[in-house]
Amino acid sequence: MTDGQQTAEHPTGLRERKKRRTRDALLHAALDLFTTQGYEETTVDEIADAVEVSQRTFFRYFAGKESAAFAVQEMVESRFIAELSQRPAPEAPFEAMRRAVLCAWNSIGDAIEALIPVELHMRTYQMIESTPSLLAAHLRRNSELENQIALLIARREGLDVERDPRPRVAVAAFCGVMRVTGQLWGHGRETSMDSLRTLTEAYLDQLGPALAGDWRAPALDRVPHVSGPAYGQGHNTRTTPSGCDI
């Protein structure tokens, strides 16, 4: 190639870059509007108008307003799941989750900042926590994520998640810490992603000793798998071995 010549970018690459820029602009506009004038008060038309595209274009990238509200969170969750899936088999379950979230943060922070300012990310978190419809969706999503992680951990350890409670217990504890640190960060003064990582690591370090140990060693007791009608259907009470009704 002689001086002054440039290699033309492939048309497919140009289209993909344009699509990515449009999606990023719509996401930024949506979150900015949600956090300034309110989620319920914001319409899809307003989001599209802010980017000077049609409503149809908005729905090409997002299923709806809720999809846009949780887009960054979904990206974070996907990166965590990917990291956890790649953790070495010898790692204990909690250590695998801890290392996965901290390793994911090496790229998550930059990825978030490439999409939106961290300050807007914090305001979005606060908006989700304070909007009833979004908070309900947030709790539902968290429940689905916990189940996904528990199944992944059970597969790693060769356990039946329906008979062995430890994967669900460990994941519930881990995700509980993640929720607490997220809430503390969302209401704090320090807005950097590094501060969120430091806070999360400090809290996870408190939980680690309680969940350490070799899970592959045979356990003496297991919670039995119960089939049949769910609790409260067909039975007024249950009796524990000690004779207490619950």
Side-chain angles (χ1 to χ4, degrees):
M1 183 173 66
T2 61
D3 291 343
Q5 288 182 321
Q6 294 181 351
T7 301
E9 186 171 358
H10 194 281
T12 302
L14 287 171
R15 284 195 298 270
E16 291 305 314
R17 285 178 57 192
K18 183 177 179 180
K19 287 179 181 179
R20 186 164 58 249
R21 285 197 299 268
T22 300
R23 184 185 185 278
D24 291 352
L26 284 166
L27 176 60
H28 192 290
L31 298 183
D32 190 50
L33 287 168
F34 292 161
T35 57
T36 54
Q37 67 182 30
Y39 174 78
E40 302 293 355
E41 292 73 21
T42 299
T43 67
V44 170
D45 281 334
E46 288 176 309
I47 299 169
D49 287 346
V51 185
E52 298 182 339
V53 297
S54 67
Q55 185 188 88
R56 182 178 178 181
T57 298
F58 174 87
F59 285 113
R60 191 177 299 154
Y61 296 99
F62 301 100
K65 292 197 304 178
E66 183 180 302
S67 174
F70 288 102
V72 176
Q73 183 174 323
E74 183 176 351
M75 178 191 70
V76 171
E77 293 166 354
S78 296
R79 294 197 178 212
F80 167 71
I81 291 294
E83 286 287 347
L84 182 58
S85 300
Q86 297 171 14
R87 296 309 306 169
E91 286 183 350
F94 174 73
E95 185 62 18
M97 289 188 286
R98 178 183 179 279
R99 289 182 179 272
V101 74
L102 295 178
C103 287
W105 243 306
N106 291 335
S107 59
I108 285 174
D110 291 340
I112 291 175
E113 291 176 350
L115 284 174
I116 58 174
V118 175
E119 180 268 339
L120 178 55
H121 179 49
M122 175 180 276
R123 284 196 286 127
T124 300
Y125 188 92
Q126 295 169 341
M127 181 267 299
I128 289 172
E129 291 273 319
S130 61
T131 305
S133 61
L134 289 180
L135 181 58
H138 184 49
L139 295 174
R140 183 192 71 242
R141 288 170 51 83
N142 282 344
S143 178
E144 293 169 353
L145 179 64
E146 287 186 20
N147 186 62
Q148 183 181 0
I149 299 171
L151 291 173
L152 197 161
I153 290 293
R155 285 196 299 270
R156 276 176 51 94
E157 303 301 311
L159 303 175
D160 180 353
V161 75
E162 300 301 330
R163 295 182 178 276
D164 194 316
R166 292 176 294 175
R168 293 194 191 280
V169 170
V171 170
F174 174 83
C175 290
V177 170
M178 298 301 294
R179 281 194 295 273
V180 167
T181 54
Q183 290 168 348
L184 290 173
W185 178 77
H187 292 89
R189 295 181 179 178
E190 179 56 62
T191 63
S192 71
M193 295 304 298
D194 284 341
S195 68
L196 177 56
R197 177 191 171 114
T198 299
L199 183 64
T200 302
E201 188 170 11
Y203 271 65
L204 288 175
D205 285 346
Q206 299 300 313
L207 185 61
L211 296 177
D214 182 5
W215 281 27
R216 291 183 175 86
L220 296 177
D221 297 315
R222 289 284 190 273
V223 173
H225 174 63
V226 179
S227 59
Y231 174 60
Q233 298 179 358
H235 299 283
N236 292 327
T237 60
R238 289 187 299 163
T239 302
T240 64
S242 62
C244 298
D245 289 336
I246 57 173

